[in-house]
Amino acid sequence: MRLRGLKPEWLNNPKVWRTEILAGLVVALALIPEAISFSIIAGVDPAVGLFASFTMAVVISIVGGRRAMISAATGAVALVIAPLNREHGLGYLISAVILAGVIQIVLGSLGVAKLMRFVPRSVMVGFVNALAILIFMTQVPEMYDVPWAVYPLLVGGLALMVFFPRITKAVPAPLVSIVILTAITVAAGIAVPTVGDKGELPSSLPVPGLPDVPFTLDTLATIAPYAFAMALVGLMESLMTAKLVDDITDTHSSKTRESIGQGIANIVTGFFGGMGGCAMIGQTMINVKVSGARTRLSTFLAGAFLMVLCIAVGPVVSDIPMAALVAVMVMVSFATFDWHSIAPKTLKRMPAGEIAVMVITVMVVVATDNLAIGVVVGSVTAMVIFARRVAHLARVTSVTDPDGTTVVYSVTGELFFASSNDLVGQFDYNDDPGRIVIDLSAAHIWDASSVAALDAIETKYKQRGKTVEIIGLNAPSADLHGKLTGELTSH
C-alpha cells in the first residue's frame, strides 16, 4: 500500500530543487568569510568557526522548527564566549558551547519560546531595521582603506544584483555576481582583498571528541555563566529570526522545536570542536528573501556546500574577492530594512509611543551591537508605555441617592498596579454618607495591587464608621478578590 502525505510535494518539483540548491550554494559562499571573521572575534582558529557553521546548519536543518532558516557561527555568540577562551582556553569554550546547548533544550522544553508573544510589533520593526544597519556597518571596514579597484567591483556587483533578476530569476543574482566578479579579478589579475586573506580554510572534516578540560565542579562553575549567557542570546536571536521568516513567508513555525533544535545543534557542534552559534539573520535573509528558498534542503546544503567548498575547492574559494560578498551583504541590508516604517505617511499615522519604541530598539541594538539587549530594552519600554496608556483608562464616577443615605461609585477600566495606585484618592471619605457601594461591573481586577487598593478604601471608610459594599465583580475578579482581600496587610 502506498502511503500518502509522508513525502513533501516539493520533492517532485525540479524548480524548487534548483532554487534550494542554488540558494544553499550562495549562502555557503557568504558563510565562509563571516565564519572566519567571527572566529577572529572569539580568538580561535578559523577552522573552529567554519566547523561550527557546518555542523549548526546541517543539524538544525533536521531538528529545527523553522524551515529555510540558517544557523551557524555568529558574532553575538562570539562576543559572549571570547572572554572565556581568552582566559581559560579552547577546551573551556567548547565545554561552554555544549552546556549552552543543554540549557537551551531545558529552556525550550519549559516553554520559553512562548515569551515571543510578548514582543510587540514596534520592537520587531526596530529589530529588523537595526539588523539592516548592523549588516551594513559590518561591511564598512571592507570598504575602508582598500585598493581603488574594490569600489568599481562593489558597484558592479550591486548593479548585477539589481538588474540581473529582470533578465531571469532562474539563477540567484548574488551567485551570478560572485561568479562574474571572481572571474574578472582572476582573469585580469586585479589585486584586491579576497576570502583567502581572512584565514586558512580547513582541509578535512571535523572529528568528534570530548573537550580537553577537567570534569570538575570548578570547571562547571567557570563555564556556567558564559554558557547561560550564550544560551539566552542564541535563543533570542534565533526566535526573533524565526518570527521574521514567519512574517516574510506567511507561514507558521514551531518556536519550541526551534529552541530545542538550537540546543541539539550546539551540543553536536561542541563535540565536533565548533564554537557554537545560533540563527544567522543576514544569511537567512539571503536564503529566504533574496534567493527564495523555502525548505530545509537549502539549510542542509548551505552547511554541506560550506565544507565541500573549503575542502574540495578551497583555492578557488580563496580567490573570491571580498568586494563580491560585501556587495551581497549590502544588498541584503537594503532589502532587510523596513523602509515603509520610516515613510512620512507612516510616521504621521503611527502613535508616538510606537515610534519611540522602534527608535529605542534601534538605538540600543546599534549602540551595544547586541540584538538581544535591544529586544529586551524595547519590549520593556513598550510594556511601560502600554501600562501608562491603560492606567489612564480607569475612571471613577459617583452618584448619590436622592435620600442622601447611599453613594454609588462606578469604576470602569482595567485595575492593575499602574491604575489602582490612583484609585484610593478618588473617593470622598469625609463627606460621603454612611453607605458606600462600589460598582465594578465595568472593571476588571488583574493583580494584588488592585485588591490592596480596594482594601485600603474599605479601611478608610470603616475608620469613619461607614459601610462599604463591592458589587458587579466578574468571575475572575471575584475569585482573585476573594482569595486576597484582607490578606495583603500585616495589620
Side-chain angles (χ1 to χ4, degrees):
M1 187 175 84
R2 185 177 178 181
L3 295 177
R4 295 183 179 181
L6 298 180
K7 186 170 70 171
E9 293 181 4
W10 61 263
L11 285 175
N12 298 321
N13 190 330
K15 184 178 179 180
V16 174
W17 275 89
R18 183 178 67 246
T19 299
E20 300 296 313
I21 292 172
L22 294 177
L25 180 57
V26 172
V27 172
L29 290 170
L31 277 174
I32 293 173
E34 294 279 316
I36 295 174
S37 298
F38 298 147
S39 298
I40 294 171
I41 293 174
V44 297
D45 188 83
V48 176
L50 290 165
F51 288 158
S53 295
F54 163 60
T55 53
M56 287 293 297
V58 169
V59 175
I60 205 67
S61 70
I62 300 170
V63 300
R66 173 65 257 177
R67 295 189 300 274
M69 192 167 78
I70 304 296
S71 291
T74 59
V77 169
L79 289 170
V80 170
I81 60 179
L84 178 63
N85 178 67
R86 186 168 54 249
E87 296 172 15
H88 300 280
L90 181 61
Y92 282 82
L93 183 152
I94 300 300
S95 301
V97 170
I98 296 172
L99 180 58
V102 174
I103 294 172
Q104 287 177 328
I105 291 175
V106 172
L107 292 176
S109 301
L110 293 175
V112 71
K114 294 179 181 178
L115 295 176
M116 286 301 297
R117 72 182 66 178
F118 297 107
V119 178
R121 183 185 180 280
S122 53
V123 174
M124 191 68 188
V125 173
F127 168 83
V128 170
N129 291 344
L131 162 65
I133 294 172
L134 286 184
I135 291 174
F136 182 82
M137 289 175 62
T138 57
Q139 306 310 308
V140 171
E142 303 295 341
M143 297 182 277
Y144 178 75
D145 194 23
V146 293
W148 69 268
V150 167
Y151 302 109
L153 288 172
L154 178 60
V155 173
L158 291 171
L160 280 168
M161 284 183 285
V162 171
F163 295 109
F164 186 80
R166 299 182 183 182
I167 301 172
T168 178
K169 294 184 180 179
V171 181
L175 180 58
V176 174
S177 176
I178 291 170
V179 171
I180 291 178
L181 294 188
T182 303
I184 291 173
T185 55
V186 172
I190 301 174
V192 291
T194 64
V195 170
D197 296 331
K198 289 290 184 179
E200 185 178 353
L201 303 181
S203 57
S204 62
L205 290 171
V207 178
L210 294 174
D212 184 18
V213 295
F215 292 90
T216 63
L217 290 177
D218 288 339
T219 299
L220 180 62
T222 300
I223 66 173
Y226 296 95
F228 189 70
M230 175 185 164
L232 290 181
V233 169
L235 282 183
M236 179 73 74
E237 292 211 22
S238 298
L239 294 176
M240 289 296 291
T241 304
K243 191 173 187 297
L244 178 59
V245 177
D246 287 354
D247 293 340
I248 292 173
T249 61
D250 195 25
T251 58
H252 174 73
S253 63
S254 171
K255 305 303 183 298
T256 296
R257 178 175 173 179
E258 183 61 41
S259 301
I260 296 173
Q262 288 289 331
I264 295 172
N266 272 305
I267 291 173
V268 173
T269 296
F271 282 119
F272 276 90
M275 58 180 276
C278 61
M280 288 197 79
I281 305 168
Q283 273 64 22
T284 297
M285 290 301 99
I286 293 176
N287 196 47
V288 175
K289 201 164 187 178
V290 178
S291 301
R294 292 293 184 271
T295 76
R296 299 178 184 274
L297 180 62
S298 57
T299 306
F300 177 86
L301 290 178
F305 281 148
L306 173 65
M307 279 293 100
V308 172
L309 290 170
C310 290
I311 296 172
V313 290
V316 176
V317 174
S318 296
D319 287 335
I320 295 175
M322 284 301 301
L325 298 176
V326 170
V328 172
M329 297 309 293
V330 169
M331 182 60 69
V332 168
S333 70
F334 276 89
T336 301
F337 197 92
D338 187 350
W339 298 101
H340 176 73
S341 67
I342 60 172
K345 184 183 294 185
T346 303
L347 294 177
K348 286 181 181 179
R349 296 178 178 178
M350 193 71 66
E354 301 276 330
I355 297 173
V357 169
M358 179 182 71
V359 172
I360 289 172
T361 302
V362 172
M363 292 176 62
V364 172
V365 170
V366 173
T368 62
D369 200 27
N370 191 312
L371 291 162
I373 294 177
V375 170
V376 171
V377 173
S379 297
V380 171
T381 303
M383 290 176 186
V384 171
I385 292 174
F386 173 78
R388 285 176 57 86
R389 185 184 303 158
V390 175
H392 292 305
L393 297 179
R395 297 285 186 271
V396 178
T397 57
S398 64
V399 176
T400 304
D401 281 355
D403 59 8
T405 60
T406 303
V407 60
V408 178
Y409 283 93
S410 297
V411 182
T412 62
E414 308 302 318
L415 300 183
F416 64 111
F417 61 89
S419 60
S420 60
N421 287 333
D422 297 329
L423 193 64
V424 179
Q426 299 190 49
F427 292 79
D428 190 353
Y429 303 101
N430 293 321
D431 297 331
D432 278 343
R435 182 171 181 267
I436 295 89
V437 176
I438 302 177
D439 185 359
L440 298 178
S441 301
H444 187 97
I445 298 176
W446 287 103
D447 60 6
S449 297
S450 302
V451 177
L454 292 172
D455 284 354
I457 293 169
E458 289 190 76
T459 300
K460 288 180 180 295
Y461 276 117
K462 287 180 180 178
Q463 289 172 347
R464 292 164 175 78
K466 302 174 182 180
T467 61
V468 176
E469 180 183 2
I470 296 177
I471 65 172
L473 289 170
N474 58 37
S477 298
D479 183 59
L480 182 64
H481 185 266
K483 289 179 180 178
L484 297 180
T485 185
E487 303 293 332
L488 299 175
T489 57
S490 57
H491 55 278

